[in-house]
Amino acid sequence: MRWLLFSTVLITFAIDVMAFEPSHAKARRGWALIGSSENIAEVADVVTPEAIAEVGFAEPVIGYKYSDFSVFFVPLFTGGGSYVVCDRDGDSYIPLDDAQVLALSGQTPDDIGTPFFYKVPFGWLILGPFLALQALAFVQRWRAVGA
């Protein structure tokens, strides 16, 4: 009986790994419960869509793909950003270099910049004020004990 349960769990795990293995050139939009994920934030429109017409994107946009580390759906750290061209509603993308960004958007990467939530992860907006209030309360208690 145990071997049947073990083999069923093992086969189910193998099927899950094969079915949900991440494919090449995919990034999702959304947040992870705990762990890291890849995100694409739209940063500019493509002004010359005929340059990438063979790719087949319905609504191509310039995006900034980056990784983040999240705890309880709240991104705390970001890193590893690069520019990509992606479909507005899809998860497929093509990496771009600086010259391709200029050719597709008419702007340099410095002009486009990086997304706000890449520079300041959303978790900092939540934890920052909380930690500041805790530090203020600690200082007030410390002064009251010392006085």
Side-chain angles (χ1 to χ4, degrees):
M1 185 66 179
R2 281 184 155 175
W3 67 268
L4 181 62
L5 179 63
F6 178 73
S7 62
T8 304
V9 169
L10 189 62
I11 290 170
T12 304
F13 178 73
I15 290 171
D16 286 345
V17 167
M18 288 185 289
F20 297 112
E21 178 180 302
S23 60
H24 180 65
K26 294 281 186 181
R28 66 176 188 77
R29 298 166 199 238
W31 299 359
L33 178 62
I34 295 177
S36 63
S37 64
E38 288 187 337
N39 299 294
I40 298 176
E42 295 176 20
V43 292
D45 290 322
V46 173
V47 295
T48 56
E50 59 274 357
I52 56 166
E54 71 275 356
V55 176
F57 290 146
E59 295 182 58
V61 294
I62 304 292
Y64 196 77
K65 183 184 81 69
Y66 61 93
S67 301
D68 67 10
F69 177 76
S70 302
V71 176
F72 297 111
F73 303 109
V74 180
L76 296 176
F77 303 104
T78 59
S82 63
Y83 290 98
V84 297
V85 62
C86 60
D87 199 11
R88 189 176 303 270
D89 296 326
D91 292 337
S92 298
Y93 65 89
I94 300 171
L96 300 174
D97 60 16
D98 292 352
Q100 292 171 322
V101 171
L102 178 62
L104 290 175
S105 69
Q107 300 174 337
T108 65
D110 292 334
D111 294 337
I112 294 173
T114 56
F116 176 74
F117 285 117
Y118 174 75
K119 296 176 192 171
V120 181
F122 187 68
W124 291 8
L125 300 177
I126 294 172
L127 292 178
F130 174 75
L131 293 175
L133 289 174
Q134 291 299 320
L136 181 64
F138 174 77
V139 168
Q140 288 177 345
R141 282 194 306 263
W142 183 61
R143 285 185 180 170
V145 169

